[in-house]
Structure formats: structure tokens, C-alpha cells
Amino acid sequence: MRSFLVRCCLTAACFLPLPNAHAQWATINWTIAETLLAIDAPLTGSAQQKGYHEWVREPKIPDGVVDIGLRSQPNLELMAQSPPTQTFISPMFASLTERLERIAPVTPFSPYSPGTHTWQEIQTLTRQLGELTGHQLQAAQLINETHTLMDMLRQQRSDVPPLLMVQFMDARHVRVFGDNSLYNAVLERINLTNAWDRPTNAWGFSLTGIEALYDYPEATLVVVEPLPAGVEDALAKSGLWQHLPSVKNATLLRLPPVWSFGALPSAQRFARELVAALASRNMSLASD
């Protein structure tokens, strides 16, 4: 009987979905990379890791993950040395599909599609990646953890004026994040108000000059790093910047880099960093 049961188990094992058992995935998209890492899906290669660490930061890319080159021009020879099971891309890099398919199957994802709801879309992305990599439970856990965190931070956050969330492109121009952005989706989850009421692109931002920020004198400026080279020094000498109410009144908030086009891992980081910065500023104002 024992021998019979062993043979039955071995036979059944042959029909299990084996591909994911030793599968590894590569991606040239940072949003997909951070999600794969957050759900513990084996990542064999990711693009532009130095840029990832500057703009995304977390989750950290493990040392064993190969840097496959530029997002717009991955090193195909390097990828071919240890082909992934699949390569995940986004529409921005769709022109690379044919070349990447010579190495491994390519699966496209479309985060931040026009006309979609960002918060729902990044949850859908998480579930899809969980299903494709066999990490459905981890994907569900990431979604649940994010909801729990947002609920907790919504209770912790203090009442503040509307916020203007910006990233610098150069010393005179900023991206201001509004509808369809990850940052705005987080504000909605923790019940804070976004002051920016102008049209945004599919990525959820408007590219504008610093002077446009003067139209929102009651808003608190939130600057998300990193700043391009030379911008810090230029702003110190810029009367246009120095006379903005948030700068002049020392109520401006600066946050460490959080990927503005990210998914749930970036949403978690932005929410934590923002609520912590608001609490720190309020404590500082109360002690003055």
C-alpha cells in the first residue's frame, strides 16, 4: 500500500504546473520591478539599476539581479546568456518587443493607461503579476497590507491645507501631480486635499513653470526628490522660488525619492513619508 501511494504521488507530481517552480523574470520597467520584488517573485534581470536606486529606492534590488542595461536599450547579449522565463515591458518600450522575443516571451502591461483609475489599476497590475509568477498569495497580501496602512495613516494624519506635489525638471520647471497620478491616489486614500486642479496627462502630472505655483498661495508645497544636478544652488539664488509662500514661511515639505509612476510599494512609501513629514512640521511649528 505504501509503495502504491508513493507511485500515485509521483504520478500526480508530473502533472503539476512546473514552469513557475524554477521560473525567473526580467523587466525593463521600474514599476513592474518594484512589484515583483514586493511579492517575492524571482527577478533575474532589471534595467538601469543605478537610476532605480536614485528614483525608486525601495524595495532594494538584490545583488544577484543582473543589470540588463538601459530601459530604452537593454543589453540583449547579456540577457541571452541566462534567458528569463518571460520579460515584462510597458507600452513605452513596445518597440523593443520583437528583439526581446528572440530571447524569451514578452508580456506587456499598461500601468497608467489613459481613462483608467490609478488606484484600481495598480492593484490589478499586482494581481496579474501574482498570477503570472505563481505568487498570488503574496500579491493579495501586498494589496491587503497597503489598504491597512492607508487606513492607519488616515487616522494619524493631521488637518493641513491643500498640497501641491512637485518634482523639479530644472531650476524653472516642475511636474505638478494631480488627477491620475500615484501621489493623488494616495492623498485620496488618506483623506488629504490636492490643490492642483488643472488638466494632467496620462501619467498624472502637468509640466509647468514655477510661476504657476503662485496661483495657489494657501497650498503647502511638497517637493519630492531627487533634484536634478545644479537645481539646489539655482533655487537658493532664485527670487521667484524664494518668494513662494511655502518657501518664505518655511512650511515647504521635502520628501526623499518615491517613484511617481510606481505601484503599491511606492504608494506605501509616499504615504508613510508624507504623513511623517507633516507630523514633523507640525511639531516644529508648535514648538516655535
Side-chain angles (χ1 to χ4, degrees):
M1 177 62 71
R2 181 179 298 173
S3 175
F4 174 76
L5 290 174
V6 169
R7 288 198 303 272
C8 287
C9 290
L10 290 174
T11 301
C14 291
F15 293 96
L16 292 175
L18 294 179
N20 284 340
H22 302 289
Q24 292 186 318
W25 291 269
T27 183
I28 56 177
N29 178 277
W30 290 344
T31 305
I32 296 172
E34 71 166 5
T35 305
L36 291 173
L37 292 170
I39 64 174
D40 295 323
L43 185 63
T44 185
S46 65
Q48 248 174 290
Q49 291 186 13
K50 183 177 183 293
Y52 178 98
H53 289 134
E54 290 175 353
W55 287 90
V56 187
R57 292 224 174 160
E58 294 178 6
K60 300 289 186 184
I61 298 175
D63 292 338
V65 179
V66 176
D67 190 329
I68 56 177
L70 299 177
R71 290 179 292 168
S72 58
Q73 193 175 357
N75 188 326
L76 303 181
E77 292 78 9
L78 185 59
M79 292 181 67
Q81 292 176 15
S82 181
T85 306
Q86 276 186 307
T87 302
F88 299 139
I89 66 169
S90 57
M92 182 179 294
F93 306 109
S95 62
L96 299 170
T97 301
E98 184 176 347
R99 280 173 283 170
L100 289 168
E101 283 182 333
R102 297 170 190 166
I103 299 168
V106 172
T107 301
F109 291 92
S110 302
Y112 296 88
S113 301
T116 60
H117 189 277
T118 299
W119 189 251
Q120 297 304 322
E121 192 173 29
I122 59 179
Q123 292 181 81
T124 299
L125 172 68
T126 304
R127 292 189 187 96
Q128 290 174 337
L129 288 172
E131 291 170 2
L132 276 173
T133 61
H135 285 66
Q136 296 96 324
L137 292 178
Q138 293 91 333
Q141 183 178 5
L142 176 60
I143 292 170
N144 291 335
E145 287 176 350
T146 304
H147 288 167
T148 299
L149 176 67
M150 297 300 165
D151 290 342
M152 180 184 71
L153 294 178
R154 185 167 59 249
Q155 302 302 319
Q156 292 180 0
R157 66 108 182 101
S158 54
D159 292 329
V160 296
L163 305 176
L164 278 176
M165 301 166 293
V166 306
Q167 277 187 323
F168 276 91
M169 301 302 293
D170 56 40
R172 292 186 61 88
H173 298 90
V174 291
R175 290 170 174 164
V176 190
F177 293 89
D179 287 344
N180 208 46
S181 69
L182 178 74
Y183 297 163
N184 188 69
V186 170
L187 291 196
E188 291 176 347
R189 301 274 77 73
I190 60 178
N191 201 23
L192 291 172
T193 303
N194 189 347
W196 192 249
D197 53 4
R198 300 182 186 180
T200 59
N201 59 19
W203 297 94
F205 69 85
S206 307
L207 182 59
T208 186
I210 290 175
E211 62 276 3
L213 304 180
Y214 276 91
D215 294 338
Y216 302 86
E218 303 302 320
T220 294
L221 269 174
V222 180
V223 176
V224 184
E225 299 176 345
L227 271 62
V231 167
E232 191 89 58
D233 291 339
L235 292 178
K237 303 171 186 175
S238 168
L240 186 64
W241 174 252
Q242 294 298 327
H243 285 88
L244 280 168
S246 281
V247 180
K248 190 162 75 170
N249 300 329
T251 57
L252 177 144
L253 300 178
R254 284 185 62 163
L255 303 186
V258 178
W259 187 224
S260 53
F261 312 121
L264 294 181
S266 288
Q268 288 190 14
R269 286 196 63 239
F270 182 73
R272 287 195 299 265
E273 295 290 352
L274 177 60
V275 171
L278 288 168
S280 177
R281 188 200 64 171
N282 288 344
M283 288 179 61
S284 177
L285 292 175
S287 64
D288 288 344

